[in-house]
Amino acid sequence: ILNVEQSPQSLHVQEGDSTNFTCSFPSSNFYALHWYRWETAKSPEALFVMTLNGDEKKKGRISATLNTKEGYSYLYIKGSQPEDSATYLCASPSGNTGKLIFGQGTTLQVKP
Amino acid sequence: EAGVAQSPRYKIIEKRQSVAFWCNPISGHATLYWYQQILGQGPKLLIQFQNNGVVDDSQLPKDRFSAERLKGVDSTLKIQPAKLEDSAVYLCASSLVWSSGYNEQFFGPGTRLTVL
């Protein structure tokens, strides 16, 4: 069974701080790595879908890298803002059915 | 483009009662997923439909959970009878196709169920 792990479980930072989280996944039979942001009382929102080793993607102040050989992805937030407060989930498909296996998430709290 | 709709948003019931959740996916999306997210854990797939056929229901507790997707559009997820451990957020998601896992899944806002 595919096992996806995220760390840390929670993070509290001050406004303006930069931060990063880790997602670990099995490197064998890799298909893709998804990052989602989930704000309280809202729908999880897709940030990135990454497929190639060495991929780097950026969306505003958020960026992500992918290392499929060693089985990890980093999500970076530059200059955190209170509106970045959310749970960040990573997920990897199990096999080729599209079934996503999620990590437990990293909950970020940004204090003004 | 309208997103994935779910109702109700919140539900509180007592154990042994029944409850049903409804999901309307994005128009044209053939694949529909129901996930269960227990506090402190990541979402876990309960059931996946391709049109109105089941692709994966391996983690659905079939003694109490059921789901259907009549006509390949809307879907309902039912719990009967509910247990305390069913307290969770139930997320519905849809995607255009399901092959390979590259395709983005679009999520609804979820239904937060509390079982007392």
Side-chain angles (χ1 to χ4, degrees), chain B residues 23-35:
Chain B
C23 173
N24 181 239
I26 292 173
S27 177
H29 281 196
T31 310
L32 185 146
Y33 312 81
W34 283 103
Y35 289 89

Side-chain angles (χ1 to χ4, degrees), chain A residues 12-33:
Chain A
H12 292 79
V13 301
Q14 290 293 136
E15 182 175 355
D17 288 350
S18 293
T19 187
N20 65 86
F21 334 125
T22 304
C23 174
S24 302
F25 52 87
S27 54
S28 59
N29 298 318
F30 175 81
Y31 286 92
L33 194 285

